[in-house]
Amino acid sequence: MTEENQSSALDFILLGVSGHQEQETLFLILFLFMYPITVTGNLLIILAICCNSRLHNPMYLLLANLSFVDIFLSSVTIPKTLVNYLLHSKAISFGGCLTQMYFMIALANTDSYILAAMAYDRAVAITRPLHYTTIMSPRACVLLVVGSWVVGNANAVPHTLLTARLSFCANKEVANFYCDAAPLLKLSCSDIHFNVKMMYVGVGVFSVPLLCIIISYVRVFSTVLRVPSTKGVRKAFSTCGSHLTVVSLYYGTVMGMYLRPLTSYSLKDASITVMYTAVTPMLNPFIYTLRNGDMKAALGKLCSKRISLKPT
Ligand SMILES: *[C@@H]1O[C@H](CO)[C@@H](O)[C@H](O)[C@H]1NC(C)=O
């Protein structure tokens, strides 16, 4: 029993998404629906791509990798939130808190770099079709994926170590539904100037891929516009348009959340973080496959294979 008392004294409290009971329940119902959709949707994409050798090219291998990261990204926060709700608890240990923060930063960065790799892949395919197979070789593709994971984790390590060194006083109420870097920093009673500076550096590292994405799509558009086929233009615009919607939602919300003074954070902002912790990981598989005939065929094949295997 003493252990329980001890742990509760050291625990942090997750205040939730809004602080209003009805809205809290609404978000939990949303999470309850979104999480299984995110996991199933992304798993189906990975299976469809892995089981179909025709889709073993950079574009689809990168998409499978994005789905892989998205499954983990949504698993960092949502299951804990749902379990806590079932247990009528808002507590999280300091270790749990740091773990959530580490994986959130690492996976969000990896996601960001893989999105850039996907945009780069499309740009090469459209602007330099003759050199595509030499530029996007299997080796280059593995390098892009491994690089994304390395940068993601490298960006998470310093921030997590710097936060682990902080001391916390009486107030342990994190103004979010998970241990987010900014509200956690705000709670500390140590000197956090260096942490804040490093946070801005971290957001910078996170945002580099956005620049690559913009440059890639500008090159795609300028190439497509020079080709006098309106059908080609429309097709490129329709796929790139939906990609750009997700990309701007993703970067817009992350940068809007962290690129401002720490004092301006409040519980109101927690609902912004729902965008990149839960919504974009769920949307990614749909956005990147909905208008894609090959992907639909592969998914159809996957389903019919399962049905035909059942009787044997
Ligand atoms: C991720 O990409 C690499 C390199 O192209 C590939 O070998 C691997 O199968 C992909 N991972 C998944 C889960 O599809």
Side-chain angles (χ1 to χ4, degrees), residues 105-301:
I105 300 175
L107 294 168
N109 275 279
T110 309
D111 218 48
S112 165
Y113 276 79
I114 290 182
L115 283 175
M118 292 171 79
Y120 174 70
D121 169 73
R122 285 303 83 205
V124 174
I126 290 172
T127 60
R128 306 183 65 187
L130 297 179
H131 300 105
Y132 179 70
T133 43
T134 42
I135 297 174
M136 290 301 290
S137 61
R139 204 181 122 88
C141 199
V142 170
L143 272 179
L144 284 173
V145 170
V146 173
S148 302
W149 280 95
V150 169
V151 174
N153 284 279
N155 203 5
V157 169
H159 203 85
T160 311
L161 290 180
L162 283 171
T163 308
R165 287 177 59 241
L166 295 176
S167 46
F168 292 88
C169 305
N171 184 2
K172 295 207 170 148
E173 298 187 332
V174 182
N176 209 329
F177 69 100
Y178 70 99
C179 274
D180 187 43
L184 199 61
L185 274 188
K186 217 182 154 184
L187 289 182
S188 170
C189 40
S190 314
D191 179 12
I192 56 165
H193 278 97
F194 188 61
N195 293 62
V196 173
K197 264 189 205 132
M198 285 304 288
M199 190 171 86
Y200 292 144
V201 172
V203 179
V205 173
F206 173 86
S207 311
V208 169
L210 177 61
L211 208 66
C212 304
I213 292 171
I214 293 172
I215 294 172
S216 297
Y217 281 130
V218 166
R219 291 186 55 198
V220 165
F221 284 139
S222 62
T223 305
V224 169
L225 286 174
R226 266 188 275 125
V227 181
S229 140
T230 44
K231 205 178 155 197
V233 174
R234 229 179 289 139
K235 204 175 164 203
F237 266 110
S238 72
T239 48
C240 292
S242 45
H243 295 188
L244 284 175
T245 314
V246 168
V247 162
S248 41
L249 270 181
Y250 189 58
Y251 290 95
T253 46
V254 171
M255 288 157 95
M257 181 73 187
Y258 302 101
L259 285 184
R260 55 188 179 142
L262 210 57
T263 46
S264 67
Y265 290 111
S266 68
L267 194 51
K268 283 202 310 290
D269 303 311
S271 51
I272 302 174
T273 62
V274 172
M275 193 51 90
Y276 53 85
T277 51
V279 178
T280 48
M282 183 185 74
L283 286 184
N284 275 341
F286 294 103
I287 294 293
Y288 285 91
T289 52
L290 226 52
R291 285 207 178 87
N292 187 315
D294 287 337
M295 228 18 249
K296 280 184 197 156
L299 282 170
K301 232 168 114 184

Side-chain angles (χ1 to χ4, degrees), residues 45-46 49-50 56-58 60-69 114 137-146 149:
I45 284 176
I46 294 174
I49 291 171
C50 289
H56 287 182
N57 59 45
Y60 291 109
L61 289 176
L62 290 173
L63 179 61
N65 275 278
L66 184 73
S67 287
F68 187 73
V69 178
I114 290 182
S137 61
R139 204 181 122 88
C141 199
V142 170
L143 272 179
L144 284 173
V145 170
V146 173
W149 280 95

